[in-house]
């Protein structure tokens, strides 16, 4: 991977040329190795812009990698590997940005900037608390503003698809956090209310 996709954010023509081999490996290796193969292929495809010729030239191995990942997601128990492989699945579909920034669903934290005053904020989507804070909440008591989740029945588009998928796969923790990721937060400093997902994607836009 140091040669194919350095730092997991740079791919080369040789990287994409490895996709047929990775697709073959994904079918022939055991579950533990399969996970690494799919993550490697996903990292490579995350570097390809949607609509890039790569999706046409390597359509067959990409489709195969998608099928294997789709099935593998149904068999994974732990949330950490699930979230990473869910990103790989999106990368094989050409879904940009979200194929890289779902990790906060695993860690329970995103760092964003307030769209109005520019203060750096923590968006915490934890098991017990979901809030925004402009100070390091892990070191001291800080002001916490509760997040406003979107009702599951009101989720739309990719948010709804991800929520339905995680529920179907038995990933309850991830499913519980998605309405907060696609909900709203308020800046503790200036009070501006904004969609969490908009600030997360703004943080990842090249």
């Amino acid at each position: 991977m140091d040669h194919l996709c350095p730092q997991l954010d740079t791919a080369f023509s040789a990287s994409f040329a490895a996709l047929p081999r990775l697709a073959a490996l994904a079918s022939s290796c055991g579950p533990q190795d399969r996970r690494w193969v799919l993550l490697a292929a996903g990292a490579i495809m995350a570097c390809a812009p949607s609509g890039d010729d790569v999706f046409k030239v390597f359509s067959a191995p990409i489709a195969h990698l998608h099928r294997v990942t789709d099935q593998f997601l149904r068999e994974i128990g732990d949330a950490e590997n699930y979230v990473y492989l869910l990103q790989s699945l999106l990368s094989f579909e050409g879904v940009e940005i979200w194929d890289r920034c779902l990790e906060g669903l695993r860690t329970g934290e995103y760092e964003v900037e307030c769209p109005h005053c520019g203060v750096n904020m923590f968006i915490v989507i934890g098991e017990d608390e979901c809030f925004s804070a402009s100070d390091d909440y892990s070191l001291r008591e800080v002001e916490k503003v509760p997040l406003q989740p979107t009702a599951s029945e009101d989720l739309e588009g990719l948010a709804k698809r991800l929520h339905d998928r995680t529920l179907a796969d038995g990933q309850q923790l991830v499913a519980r956090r998605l309405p907060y990721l696609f909900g709203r937060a308020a800046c503790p400093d200036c009070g501006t209310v904004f969609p969490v997902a908009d600030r997360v994607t703004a943080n990842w836009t090249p």
Side-chain angles (χ1 to χ4, degrees), residues 91-112:
S91 73
F92 300 139
E93 298 174 359
V95 177
E96 295 183 276
I97 300 177
W98 289 113
D99 62 353
R100 292 175 178 263
C101 63
L102 289 179
E103 187 177 349
L105 293 174
R106 178 189 67 82
T107 63
E109 180 184 285
Y110 286 98
E111 287 191 49
V112 304

Side-chain angles (χ1 to χ4, degrees), residues 114-115 117-119 121 132 134 143 145 185-194:
C114 172
C117 69
V119 69
M121 300 169 50
S132 59
S134 58
E143 181 183 359
V145 181
C187 174
D189 285 28
C190 70
T192 299
V193 178
F194 57 87

Side-chain angles (χ1 to χ4, degrees), residues 80-146:
E80 179 175 352
N81 285 318
Y82 183 87
V83 168
Y84 284 134
L85 285 164
L86 186 59
Q87 290 188 145
S88 290
L89 187 77
L90 295 180
S91 73
F92 300 139
E93 298 174 359
V95 177
E96 295 183 276
I97 300 177
W98 289 113
D99 62 353
R100 292 175 178 263
C101 63
L102 289 179
E103 187 177 349
L105 293 174
R106 178 189 67 82
T107 63
E109 180 184 285
Y110 286 98
E111 287 191 49
V112 304
E113 290 184 358
C114 172
H116 180 71
C117 69
V119 69
N120 190 62
M121 300 169 50
F122 295 98
I123 301 294
V124 178
I125 310 176
E127 294 188 43
D128 301 319
E129 293 183 287
C130 298
F131 60 87
S132 59
S134 58
D135 293 307
D136 193 340
Y137 63 95
S138 65
L139 298 178
R140 57 185 178 276
E141 288 294 323
V142 300
E143 181 183 359
K144 299 177 180 179
V145 181

Side-chain angles (χ1 to χ4, degrees), residues 35 73 75-84 106 171 174:
R35 175 172 66 93
L73 280 168
E75 304 166 0
I76 294 173
D78 64 292
E80 179 175 352
N81 285 318
Y82 183 87
V83 168
Y84 284 134
R106 178 189 67 82
Q171 294 290 334
V174 180

